[in-house]
Amino acid sequence: MEKEQPKPCDAQYYELLEELQALDFVLVELNLYLDTHPGDFQSIEQYNKFSQERMRVAQEFQQLYGPLTNFGHSFSKYPWEWSQTPWPWQV
């Protein structure tokens, strides 16, 4: 018997999207900082740590709710998931 998939737009859906947005914000800020401070080892470590966390959260989201990005950056289960809404940018 197949495990029931969570429904899009339940509480966890929004929690994971918000966590991804927060991680993206931190990564953009660290990226900008490192553009002007490329030798800051501690900031590079932070950037790498947050990058790994973002990959983990994105993978969790995609396993539960489907792909976040297209053009080969996210896998799709069967049947093709891109025809199912809402898409992450619609909520």
Side-chain angles (χ1 to χ4, degrees):
M1 188 167 172
E2 253 183 71
K3 184 177 165 184
E4 185 177 328
Q5 290 293 100
K7 303 290 183 223
C9 302
D10 64 8
Q12 186 179 17
Y13 182 89
Y14 290 107
E15 289 169 12
L16 289 171
L17 275 182
E18 187 174 332
E19 188 173 356
L20 284 168
Q21 290 171 338
L23 289 165
D24 285 343
F25 177 83
V26 169
L27 287 165
V28 167
E29 292 298 313
L30 281 168
N31 190 335
L32 292 171
Y33 175 80
L34 286 165
D35 284 347
T36 59
H37 299 80
D40 188 335
F41 183 75
Q42 187 175 19
S43 293
I44 294 169
E45 284 183 319
Q46 284 182 323
Y47 180 86
N48 290 335
K49 181 187 90 170
F50 283 109
S51 292
Q52 288 177 333
E53 180 64 10
R54 197 219 182 269
M55 284 188 271
R56 185 196 65 74
V57 174
Q59 182 178 11
E60 180 181 354
F61 180 92
Q62 291 176 119
Q63 286 176 342
L64 293 170
Y65 302 107
L68 282 164
T69 59
N70 57 0
F71 302 114
H73 297 284
S74 295
F75 293 102
S76 177
K77 293 179 240 146
Y78 180 84
W80 183 247
E81 294 177 300
W82 277 108
S83 59
Q84 300 171 19
T85 59
W87 296 295
W89 56 89
Q90 290 181 308
V91 293

Coordinates of all heavy atoms in Angstrom, one line a residue:
M1 N 0.8 -1.2 0.0 CA 0.0 0.0 0.0 C 0.9 1.2 0.0 O 1.8 1.3 0.8 CB -0.9 0.0 1.2 CG -1.9 1.0 1.3 SD -3.1 0.5 2.6 CE -4.1 1.9 2.7
E2 N 0.6 2.2 -0.9 CA 1.3 3.4 -1.0 C 1.1 4.3 0.2 O 0.0 4.5 0.6 CB 1.0 4.1 -2.3 CG 2.1 4.0 -3.3 CD 1.7 4.8 -4.6 OE1 1.8 6.0 -4.5 OE2 1.4 4.2 -5.6
K3 N 2.2 5.0 0.6 CA 2.1 6.0 1.7 C 1.4 7.2 1.1 O 1.7 7.7 0.0 CB 3.5 6.3 2.1 CG 3.5 7.2 3.3 CD 5.0 7.4 3.7 CE 5.1 8.6 4.6 NZ 6.5 8.8 5.0
E4 N 0.4 7.8 1.9 CA -0.3 8.9 1.4 C 0.6 10.2 1.5 O 1.3 10.4 2.4 CB -1.5 9.2 2.4 CG -2.4 10.3 1.9 CD -3.6 10.5 2.7 OE1 -4.1 9.5 3.3 OE2 -4.0 11.7 2.9
Q5 N 0.6 10.9 0.3 CA 1.4 12.1 0.2 C 0.7 13.3 1.0 O -0.5 13.4 1.0 CB 1.5 12.5 -1.3 CG 2.4 11.5 -2.0 CD 3.8 11.6 -1.6 OE1 4.3 10.8 -0.8 NE2 4.6 12.6 -2.0
P6 N 1.5 14.1 1.6 CA 0.9 15.3 2.2 C 0.3 16.2 1.1 O 0.7 16.2 0.0 CB 2.2 16.1 2.8 CG 3.2 15.0 2.8 CD 2.9 14.0 1.8
K7 N -0.7 17.0 1.5 CA -1.4 17.8 0.6 C -0.7 19.2 0.5 O -0.2 19.7 1.5 CB -2.8 18.1 1.1 CG -3.6 16.8 1.3 CD -4.0 16.1 0.0 CE -4.8 14.9 0.2 NZ -4.4 13.8 -0.6
P8 N -0.5 19.7 -0.8 CA 0.0 21.0 -0.9 C -0.7 22.0 -0.1 O -2.0 21.9 0.0 CB -0.1 21.3 -2.4 CG -0.2 20.0 -3.1 CD -0.9 19.1 -2.1
C9 N 0.0 22.9 0.5 CA -0.6 24.1 1.2 C -1.0 23.7 2.6 O -1.7 24.4 3.3 CB -1.7 24.7 0.5 SG -1.2 25.3 -1.1
D10 N -0.6 22.5 3.1 CA -0.8 22.2 4.6 C 0.3 23.0 5.3 O 1.1 23.7 4.8 CB -0.7 20.7 4.9 CG 0.6 20.1 4.6 OD1 1.6 20.8 4.3 OD2 0.7 18.8 4.6
A11 N 0.2 23.0 6.6 CA 1.1 23.8 7.5 C 2.6 23.5 7.2 O 3.4 24.5 7.1 CB 0.8 23.6 8.9
Q12 N 3.0 22.3 7.0 CA 4.4 21.9 6.8 C 4.9 22.5 5.4 O 6.0 22.9 5.3 CB 4.6 20.4 6.8 CG 6.0 20.0 6.7 CD 6.2 18.5 6.8 OE1 5.3 17.7 6.6 NE2 7.5 18.1 7.0
Y13 N 4.0 22.5 4.4 CA 4.3 23.1 3.1 C 4.8 24.5 3.3 O 5.9 24.9 2.8 CB 3.1 23.1 2.3 CG 3.2 23.6 0.9 CD1 3.6 22.7 -0.2 CD2 2.9 24.9 0.5 CE1 3.7 23.2 -1.5 CE2 3.0 25.4 -0.8 CZ 3.4 24.5 -1.8 OH 3.5 25.0 -3.0
Y14 N 4.0 25.3 4.1 CA 4.4 26.7 4.3 C 5.6 26.9 5.2 O 6.5 27.8 5.0 CB 3.2 27.5 4.9 CG 2.1 27.7 3.9 CD1 0.9 27.0 4.0 CD2 2.3 28.6 2.8 CE1 -0.1 27.2 3.0 CE2 1.3 28.7 1.9 CZ 0.1 28.0 2.0 OH -0.9 28.2 1.1
E15 N 5.8 26.0 6.2 CA 6.9 26.1 7.0 C 8.2 25.8 6.3 O 9.2 26.5 6.4 CB 6.8 25.0 8.2 CG 5.7 25.4 9.2 CD 5.4 24.3 10.1 OE1 6.1 23.3 10.2 OE2 4.4 24.4 10.9
L16 N 8.2 24.8 5.4 CA 9.4 24.5 4.6 C 9.7 25.6 3.6 O 10.9 25.9 3.4 CB 9.2 23.1 3.9 CG 9.3 21.9 4.8 CD1 8.9 20.6 4.0 CD2 10.6 21.7 5.4
L17 N 8.7 26.1 3.0 CA 8.9 27.3 2.0 C 9.5 28.4 2.8 O 10.5 29.1 2.3 CB 7.6 27.7 1.3 CG 7.2 26.9 0.1 CD1 6.0 27.5 -0.5 CD2 8.3 26.9 -0.9
E18 N 9.0 28.8 4.0 CA 9.5 29.9 4.7 C 11.0 29.6 5.1 O 11.8 30.5 5.1 CB 8.7 30.1 6.0 CG 9.1 31.4 6.7 CD 8.1 31.7 7.8 OE1 6.9 31.3 7.8 OE2 8.6 32.3 8.8
E19 N 11.3 28.4 5.5 CA 12.7 28.0 5.9 C 13.6 28.2 4.7 O 14.7 28.7 4.8 CB 12.7 26.6 6.4 CG 14.1 26.2 7.0 CD 14.1 24.9 7.7 OE1 13.0 24.3 7.8 OE2 15.2 24.5 8.1
L20 N 13.1 27.8 3.5 CA 13.9 27.9 2.3 C 14.2 29.4 2.0 O 15.3 29.8 1.6 CB 13.2 27.2 1.1 CG 13.4 25.7 1.1 CD1 12.4 25.1 0.0 CD2 14.8 25.3 0.8
Q21 N 13.1 30.2 2.2 CA 13.3 31.7 1.9 C 14.3 32.3 2.9 O 15.1 33.1 2.5 CB 11.9 32.4 2.0 CG 11.0 32.0 0.9 CD 9.6 32.6 1.2 OE1 9.2 32.8 2.3 NE2 8.8 32.7 0.1
A22 N 14.3 31.9 4.1 CA 15.2 32.4 5.1 C 16.6 32.0 4.8 O 17.6 32.8 4.8 CB 14.8 31.9 6.5
L23 N 16.8 30.7 4.4 CA 18.1 30.2 4.0 C 18.6 30.9 2.8 O 19.8 31.3 2.7 CB 18.1 28.7 3.8 CG 17.9 27.9 5.1 CD1 17.5 26.4 4.7 CD2 19.2 27.9 5.9
D24 N 17.8 31.1 1.8 CA 18.2 31.9 0.6 C 18.6 33.3 0.9 O 19.6 33.8 0.4 CB 17.0 31.9 -0.4 CG 16.8 30.6 -1.1 OD1 17.7 29.7 -1.1 OD2 15.7 30.4 -1.7
F25 N 17.9 33.9 1.8 CA 18.3 35.3 2.2 C 19.7 35.3 2.8 O 20.5 36.1 2.5 CB 17.3 35.9 3.2 CG 17.6 37.2 3.7 CD1 17.3 38.3 3.0 CD2 18.3 37.4 4.9 CE1 17.7 39.6 3.4 CE2 18.7 38.6 5.4 CZ 18.3 39.8 4.6
V26 N 19.9 34.4 3.8 CA 21.3 34.3 4.4 C 22.3 34.0 3.4 O 23.4 34.6 3.4 CB 21.3 33.2 5.5 CG1 22.7 32.9 6.0 CG2 20.4 33.6 6.6
L27 N 22.1 33.1 2.4 CA 23.0 32.8 1.4 C 23.3 33.9 0.5 O 24.5 34.2 0.1 CB 22.6 31.5 0.6 CG 22.7 30.2 1.4 CD1 21.9 29.1 0.7 CD2 24.1 29.8 1.6
V28 N 22.3 34.7 0.1 CA 22.6 35.9 -0.7 C 23.4 36.9 0.0 O 24.4 37.4 -0.5 CB 21.2 36.5 -1.2 CG1 21.5 37.9 -1.8 CG2 20.6 35.6 -2.2
E29 N 23.1 37.1 1.3 CA 23.9 38.1 2.1 C 25.3 37.7 2.2 O 26.2 38.5 2.1 CB 23.2 38.3 3.4 CG 21.9 39.1 3.3 CD 22.0 40.5 2.7 OE1 22.9 41.2 3.1 OE2 21.2 40.8 1.8
L30 N 25.5 36.4 2.5 CA 26.9 35.9 2.7 C 27.6 35.9 1.3 O 28.8 36.3 1.3 CB 26.9 34.5 3.2 CG 26.6 34.3 4.7 CD1 26.4 32.9 5.1 CD2 27.9 34.9 5.5
N31 N 26.9 35.6 0.3 CA 27.5 35.7 -1.1 C 28.0 37.1 -1.4 O 29.2 37.3 -1.8 CB 26.5 35.2 -2.1 CG 27.1 35.0 -3.5 OD1 28.1 35.6 -3.8 ND2 26.5 34.2 -4.3
L32 N 27.2 38.1 -1.1 CA 27.5 39.5 -1.3 C 28.7 39.9 -0.4 O 29.6 40.6 -0.9 CB 26.3 40.4 -1.1 CG 25.2 40.3 -2.1 CD1 24.0 41.1 -1.6 CD2 25.6 40.8 -3.4
Y33 N 28.7 39.5 0.8 CA 29.8 39.8 1.7 C 31.1 39.2 1.2 O 32.1 39.8 1.2 CB 29.5 39.3 3.1 CG 30.6 39.5 4.1 CD1 30.9 40.7 4.7 CD2 31.4 38.4 4.4 CE1 31.9 40.9 5.6 CE2 32.5 38.6 5.3 CZ 32.7 39.8 5.9 OH 33.8 40.0 6.7
L34 N 31.0 37.9 0.8 CA 32.2 37.2 0.4 C 32.8 37.8 -0.9 O 34.0 37.6 -1.2 CB 32.0 35.7 0.3 CG 31.9 35.0 1.6 CD1 31.3 33.7 1.5 CD2 33.3 35.0 2.3
D35 N 31.9 38.4 -1.7 CA 32.4 39.1 -2.9 C 33.4 40.2 -2.6 O 34.4 40.4 -3.4 CB 31.3 39.7 -3.7 CG 30.5 38.7 -4.5 OD1 30.9 37.5 -4.6 OD2 29.4 39.0 -5.0
T36 N 33.3 40.8 -1.4 CA 34.2 41.9 -1.0 C 35.2 41.5 0.0 O 36.1 42.2 0.4 CB 33.4 43.1 -0.5 OG1 32.6 42.7 0.6 CG2 32.5 43.7 -1.7
H37 N 35.0 40.3 0.6 CA 35.8 39.8 1.7 C 36.2 38.3 1.4 O 35.8 37.4 2.2 CB 35.2 39.9 3.1 CG 34.8 41.3 3.4 ND1 33.7 41.9 3.0 CD2 35.5 42.1 4.3 CE1 33.7 43.1 3.5 NE2 34.8 43.3 4.3
P38 N 36.8 38.0 0.3 CA 37.0 36.6 -0.2 C 37.9 35.8 0.8 O 37.9 34.6 0.7 CB 37.6 36.7 -1.5 CG 38.2 38.1 -1.6 CD 37.4 38.9 -0.7
G39 N 38.6 36.4 1.6 CA 39.5 35.7 2.5 C 39.0 35.4 3.9 O 39.7 34.9 4.8
D40 N 37.7 35.7 4.1 CA 37.1 35.5 5.4 C 36.7 34.0 5.6 O 35.6 33.6 5.2 CB 35.9 36.4 5.6 CG 35.3 36.4 7.0 OD1 35.4 35.4 7.7 OD2 34.6 37.4 7.3
F41 N 37.6 33.3 6.2 CA 37.4 31.8 6.3 C 36.1 31.5 7.0 O 35.4 30.6 6.7 CB 38.6 31.2 6.9 CG 38.6 29.7 7.0 CD1 38.8 28.9 5.9 CD2 38.3 29.1 8.2 CE1 38.7 27.5 6.0 CE2 38.2 27.7 8.3 CZ 38.4 26.9 7.2
Q42 N 35.9 32.2 8.1 CA 34.7 31.9 9.0 C 33.4 32.1 8.1 O 32.4 31.3 8.2 CB 34.7 32.7 10.2 CG 33.6 32.4 11.2 CD 33.7 33.2 12.5 OE1 34.3 34.2 12.5 NE2 33.1 32.7 13.5
S43 N 33.4 33.1 7.3 CA 32.2 33.4 6.5 C 32.0 32.3 5.4 O 30.9 31.9 5.1 CB 32.2 34.8 5.9 OG 32.1 35.7 6.9
I44 N 33.1 31.8 4.9 CA 33.0 30.8 3.9 C 32.5 29.5 4.5 O 31.6 28.8 4.0 CB 34.4 30.5 3.3 CG1 34.9 31.7 2.4 CG2 34.4 29.2 2.4 CD1 36.3 31.7 2.0
E45 N 32.9 29.2 5.8 CA 32.4 28.1 6.5 C 30.9 28.2 6.7 O 30.1 27.3 6.6 CB 33.1 27.9 7.8 CG 34.5 27.3 7.7 CD 35.1 27.1 9.1 OE1 35.0 27.9 10.0 OE2 35.8 26.0 9.2
Q46 N 30.5 29.4 7.1 CA 29.0 29.7 7.3 C 28.3 29.5 6.0 O 27.2 28.9 6.0 CB 28.8 31.1 7.8 CG 29.1 31.3 9.2 CD 28.8 32.8 9.6 OE1 29.0 33.7 8.9 NE2 28.3 32.9 10.8
Y47 N 28.8 30.0 4.9 CA 28.2 29.9 3.6 C 28.0 28.4 3.2 O 26.9 28.0 2.8 CB 29.0 30.6 2.5 CG 28.4 30.5 1.2 CD1 27.4 31.4 0.8 CD2 28.7 29.5 0.3 CE1 26.8 31.3 -0.5 CE2 28.1 29.4 -1.0 CZ 27.2 30.3 -1.3 OH 26.6 30.2 -2.6
N48 N 29.0 27.6 3.4 CA 29.0 26.2 3.1 C 28.0 25.5 4.0 O 27.2 24.6 3.5 CB 30.4 25.6 3.2 CG 31.3 26.0 2.1 OD1 30.8 26.5 1.0 ND2 32.5 26.0 2.3
K49 N 27.9 25.8 5.3 CA 27.0 25.2 6.2 C 25.6 25.5 5.8 O 24.7 24.6 5.8 CB 27.3 25.7 7.7 CG 26.3 25.1 8.7 CD 26.5 25.7 10.0 CE 25.6 26.8 10.1 NZ 25.3 27.5 11.3
F50 N 25.3 26.8 5.5 CA 23.9 27.1 5.1 C 23.6 26.5 3.7 O 22.4 26.2 3.5 CB 23.7 28.6 5.1 CG 23.6 29.2 6.5 CD1 24.6 30.0 7.1 CD2 22.4 29.0 7.2 CE1 24.4 30.5 8.4 CE2 22.2 29.5 8.5 CZ 23.2 30.2 9.1
S51 N 24.5 26.4 2.9 CA 24.3 25.8 1.6 C 23.9 24.3 1.7 O 22.9 23.8 1.1 CB 25.5 25.8 0.7 OG 25.8 27.1 0.3
Q52 N 24.6 23.6 2.6 CA 24.2 22.2 2.9 C 22.8 22.1 3.5 O 22.0 21.2 3.2 CB 25.2 21.6 3.8 CG 26.5 21.3 3.1 CD 27.6 20.7 4.0 OE1 27.5 20.9 5.2 NE2 28.5 20.0 3.5
E53 N 22.5 23.0 4.4 CA 21.2 23.0 5.1 C 20.1 23.3 4.0 O 19.0 22.7 4.0 CB 21.1 24.0 6.2 CG 19.8 24.1 6.9 CD 19.4 22.8 7.7 OE1 20.2 21.9 7.8 OE2 18.3 22.8 8.1
R54 N 20.4 24.2 3.1 CA 19.4 24.6 2.1 C 19.1 23.4 1.2 O 18.0 23.1 0.8 CB 19.8 25.7 1.2 CG 18.6 26.3 0.5 CD 19.0 26.7 -0.9 NE 17.8 27.3 -1.6 CZ 17.0 26.6 -2.3 NH1 17.2 25.3 -2.5 NH2 15.9 27.2 -2.9
M55 N 20.2 22.6 0.8 CA 20.0 21.4 0.0 C 19.2 20.4 0.7 O 18.3 19.7 0.1 CB 21.4 20.9 -0.4 CG 22.1 21.6 -1.5 SD 23.6 20.8 -2.1 CE 24.8 21.5 -1.0
R56 N 19.4 20.2 2.0 CA 18.6 19.3 2.8 C 17.2 19.6 2.9 O 16.3 18.8 2.6 CB 19.2 19.2 4.3 CG 18.5 18.1 5.1 CD 18.8 18.2 6.6 NE 18.2 19.4 7.2 CZ 16.9 19.6 7.4 NH1 16.1 18.7 7.1 NH2 16.5 20.8 8.0
V57 N 16.9 20.9 3.2 CA 15.5 21.4 3.3 C 14.8 21.3 1.9 O 13.6 20.8 1.8 CB 15.4 22.8 3.8 CG1 14.0 23.3 3.8 CG2 15.9 22.8 5.3
A58 N 15.5 21.7 0.8 CA 14.9 21.6 -0.5 C 14.6 20.1 -0.9 O 13.6 19.8 -1.4 CB 15.9 22.2 -1.5
Q59 N 15.5 19.2 -0.5 CA 15.3 17.8 -0.8 C 14.0 17.3 0.0 O 13.2 16.6 -0.6 CB 16.5 17.0 -0.5 CG 16.3 15.5 -0.8 CD 17.5 14.7 -0.5 OE1 18.5 15.2 0.1 NE2 17.6 13.5 -1.0
E60 N 13.9 17.7 1.2 CA 12.8 17.3 2.0 C 11.5 17.8 1.4 O 10.5 17.1 1.3 CB 12.9 17.8 3.5 CG 11.8 17.5 4.4 CD 11.9 18.0 5.8 OE1 12.9 18.6 6.1 OE2 10.9 17.8 6.5
F61 N 11.5 19.1 1.0 CA 10.3 19.7 0.4 C 9.9 19.0 -0.9 O 8.8 18.6 -1.1 CB 10.6 21.2 0.1 CG 9.4 21.9 -0.6 CD1 8.5 22.5 0.2 CD2 9.2 21.8 -2.0 CE1 7.3 23.1 -0.4 CE2 8.1 22.4 -2.6 CZ 7.2 23.1 -1.8
Q62 N 10.9 18.7 -1.7 CA 10.6 18.1 -3.0 C 10.1 16.6 -2.9 O 9.3 16.2 -3.6 CB 11.9 18.1 -3.9 CG 12.2 19.5 -4.3 CD 13.4 19.7 -5.1 OE1 13.4 20.1 -6.3 NE2 14.6 19.3 -4.6
Q63 N 10.6 15.9 -1.9 CA 10.1 14.6 -1.6 C 8.7 14.6 -1.2 O 7.9 13.7 -1.5 CB 11.0 13.9 -0.6 CG 12.3 13.5 -1.1 CD 13.2 12.8 0.0 OE1 13.0 13.0 1.2 NE2 14.2 12.1 -0.4
L64 N 8.3 15.6 -0.4 CA 6.9 15.7 0.1 C 5.9 16.3 -0.9 O 4.8 15.9 -1.0 CB 6.9 16.5 1.4 CG 7.6 15.9 2.6 CD1 7.6 16.8 3.7 CD2 6.8 14.6 3.0
Y65 N 6.4 17.4 -1.6 CA 5.5 18.2 -2.4 C 5.8 18.4 -3.9 O 5.0 19.0 -4.6 CB 5.4 19.6 -1.7 CG 5.0 19.6 -0.3 CD1 5.9 19.8 0.7 CD2 3.7 19.3 0.0 CE1 5.5 19.8 2.0 CE2 3.3 19.2 1.4 CZ 4.2 19.5 2.4 OH 3.8 19.4 3.7
G66 N 6.9 17.9 -4.3 CA 7.2 18.0 -5.7 C 8.4 19.0 -6.0 O 8.9 19.6 -5.0
P67 N 8.7 19.2 -7.2 CA 9.9 20.0 -7.6 C 9.7 21.5 -7.2 O 8.6 22.0 -7.3 CB 10.0 19.8 -9.1 CG 8.7 19.3 -9.6 CD 8.0 18.6 -8.4
L68 N 10.9 22.1 -6.9 CA 10.9 23.5 -6.7 C 11.3 24.3 -7.9 O 10.9 25.4 -8.1 CB 12.0 23.8 -5.6 CG 11.5 23.5 -4.1 CD1 12.7 23.5 -3.2 CD2 10.5 24.6 -3.7
T69 N 12.2 23.7 -8.7 CA 12.7 24.4 -9.9 C 12.7 23.4 -11.1 O 12.6 22.2 -10.9 CB 14.1 24.9 -9.7 OG1 15.0 23.8 -9.4 CG2 14.2 26.0 -8.6
N70 N 12.7 23.9 -12.3 CA 12.7 23.0 -13.4 C 14.0 23.1 -14.2 O 15.0 23.6 -13.7 CB 11.5 23.3 -14.3 CG 11.4 24.7 -14.8 OD1 12.2 25.6 -14.5 ND2 10.4 25.1 -15.5
F71 N 14.0 22.7 -15.5 CA 15.1 22.7 -16.4 C 16.2 21.8 -15.8 O 17.4 22.2 -15.9 CB 15.6 24.1 -16.7 CG 14.5 25.0 -17.3 CD1 14.1 26.1 -16.6 CD2 14.0 24.7 -18.5 CE1 13.1 26.9 -17.2 CE2 13.0 25.5 -19.1 CZ 12.6 26.6 -18.4
G72 N 15.9 20.7 -15.2 CA 16.9 19.7 -14.8 C 17.4 20.0 -13.4 O 18.3 19.3 -13.0
H73 N 16.9 21.0 -12.7 CA 17.4 21.2 -11.3 C 16.6 20.5 -10.2 O 17.1 20.5 -9.1 CB 17.4 22.7 -11.0 CG 18.3 23.5 -11.9 ND1 19.6 23.5 -11.8 CD2 18.0 24.3 -13.0 CE1 20.2 24.3 -12.7 NE2 19.2 24.7 -13.5
S74 N 15.5 19.9 -10.6 CA 14.7 19.1 -9.6 C 14.2 17.9 -10.4 O 13.8 17.9 -11.5 CB 13.5 19.9 -9.1 OG 14.0 21.0 -8.4
F75 N 14.1 16.8 -9.6 CA 13.5 15.5 -10.2 C 12.0 15.6 -10.1 O 11.5 16.4 -9.3 CB 14.1 14.3 -9.4 CG 15.5 14.1 -9.6 CD1 16.4 14.5 -8.7 CD2 16.0 13.5 -10.8 CE1 17.8 14.2 -8.8 CE2 17.4 13.3 -11.0 CZ 18.3 13.7 -10.0
S76 N 11.4 14.8 -10.9 CA 9.9 14.6 -10.8 C 9.6 13.2 -10.6 O 10.2 12.3 -11.2 CB 9.3 15.1 -12.1 OG 7.9 14.9 -12.0
K77 N 8.6 12.9 -9.7 CA 8.1 11.6 -9.6 C 7.1 11.3 -10.7 O 6.8 12.2 -11.5 CB 7.3 11.5 -8.2 CG 8.3 11.6 -7.0 CD 7.5 11.4 -5.8 CE 7.7 12.7 -5.0 NZ 6.7 13.2 -4.2
Y78 N 6.6 10.1 -10.8 CA 5.6 9.8 -11.8 C 4.2 9.9 -11.2 O 4.1 9.4 -10.1 CB 5.8 8.3 -12.3 CG 4.8 7.9 -13.4 CD1 5.0 8.2 -14.7 CD2 3.7 7.2 -13.0 CE1 4.1 7.9 -15.6 CE2 2.7 6.9 -13.9 CZ 2.9 7.2 -15.2 OH 2.0 6.8 -16.2
P79 N 3.3 10.5 -11.8 CA 3.3 11.1 -13.1 C 4.0 12.5 -13.0 O 4.2 13.0 -11.9 CB 1.8 11.3 -13.5 CG 1.1 11.4 -12.2 CD 1.9 10.5 -11.2
W80 N 4.3 13.1 -14.2 CA 4.9 14.4 -14.3 C 4.3 15.4 -13.3 O 3.1 15.7 -13.4 CB 4.8 14.9 -15.7 CG 5.5 16.2 -16.0 CD1 5.0 17.3 -16.3 CD2 7.0 16.4 -16.0 NE1 5.9 18.3 -16.6 CE2 7.2 17.8 -16.4 CE3 8.1 15.6 -15.7 CZ2 8.4 18.3 -16.5 CZ3 9.3 16.2 -15.8 CH2 9.5 17.5 -16.2
E81 N 5.1 16.0 -12.4 CA 4.5 16.8 -11.4 C 4.4 18.3 -11.7 O 3.7 19.0 -11.0 CB 5.4 16.7 -10.1 CG 5.4 15.3 -9.5 CD 6.3 15.2 -8.3 OE1 7.5 15.4 -8.5 OE2 5.8 14.9 -7.2
W82 N 5.0 18.7 -12.8 CA 4.9 20.2 -13.1 C 3.5 20.6 -13.5 O 3.2 21.8 -13.6 CB 5.9 20.5 -14.2 CG 7.3 20.8 -13.5 CD1 8.4 19.9 -13.6 CD2 7.6 21.8 -12.7 NE1 9.4 20.4 -12.9 CE2 9.0 21.6 -12.3 CE3 7.0 22.9 -12.2 CZ2 9.6 22.5 -11.4 CZ3 7.7 23.8 -11.3 CH2 9.0 23.6 -11.0
S83 N 2.7 19.7 -13.9 CA 1.3 20.0 -14.3 C 0.4 20.2 -13.0 O -0.7 20.7 -13.2 CB 0.7 19.0 -15.2 OG 0.7 17.7 -14.5
Q84 N 0.9 19.9 -11.9 CA 0.1 20.0 -10.6 C 0.4 21.4 -10.0 O 1.5 21.8 -9.8 CB 0.5 18.9 -9.7 CG 0.2 17.5 -10.3 CD 0.7 16.4 -9.4 OE1 1.0 16.6 -8.2 NE2 0.9 15.2 -10.0
T85 N -0.6 22.0 -9.5 CA -0.5 23.3 -8.8 C -1.0 23.1 -7.4 O -1.6 22.1 -7.1 CB -1.4 24.4 -9.5 OG1 -2.7 24.0 -9.5 CG2 -0.9 24.6 -10.9
P86 N -0.7 24.0 -6.5 CA 0.0 25.3 -6.8 C 1.5 25.1 -6.8 O 2.1 24.2 -6.2 CB -0.3 26.2 -5.6 CG -0.5 25.2 -4.5 CD -1.0 23.9 -5.1
W87 N 2.2 25.9 -7.6 CA 3.7 25.9 -7.7 C 4.2 26.8 -6.5 O 3.5 27.6 -6.1 CB 4.1 26.4 -9.0 CG 3.7 25.5 -10.1 CD1 4.1 24.2 -10.4 CD2 2.7 25.8 -11.2 NE1 3.5 23.7 -11.5 CE2 2.6 24.6 -12.0 CE3 2.0 26.9 -11.5 CZ2 1.8 24.5 -13.1 CZ3 1.2 26.8 -12.6 CH2 1.1 25.6 -13.4
P88 N 5.4 26.5 -6.1 CA 5.9 27.2 -4.9 C 5.8 28.8 -5.0 O 5.6 29.4 -4.0 CB 7.4 26.8 -4.8 CG 7.4 25.4 -5.4 CD 6.3 25.5 -6.5
W89 N 5.9 29.3 -6.2 CA 5.9 30.8 -6.4 C 4.5 31.3 -6.4 O 4.2 32.5 -6.4 CB 6.6 31.2 -7.6 CG 6.2 30.6 -8.9 CD1 5.2 31.0 -9.7 CD2 6.7 29.4 -9.4 NE1 5.0 30.1 -10.7 CE2 5.9 29.1 -10.6 CE3 7.7 28.5 -9.1 CZ2 6.1 28.0 -11.4 CZ3 7.9 27.4 -9.9 CH2 7.1 27.1 -11.0
Q90 N 3.5 30.4 -6.4 CA 2.1 30.9 -6.4 C 1.4 31.0 -5.0 O 0.3 31.5 -4.9 CB 1.2 29.9 -7.2 CG 1.5 29.9 -8.7 CD 0.6 28.9 -9.4 OE1 0.5 27.7 -9.0 NE2 -0.1 29.4 -10.4
V91 N 2.2 30.6 -4.0 CA 1.5 30.6 -2.7 C 2.1 31.7 -1.8 O 3.1 32.3 -2.1 CB 1.7 29.3 -1.9 CG1 1.0 28.2 -2.6 CG2 3.2 28.9 -1.7

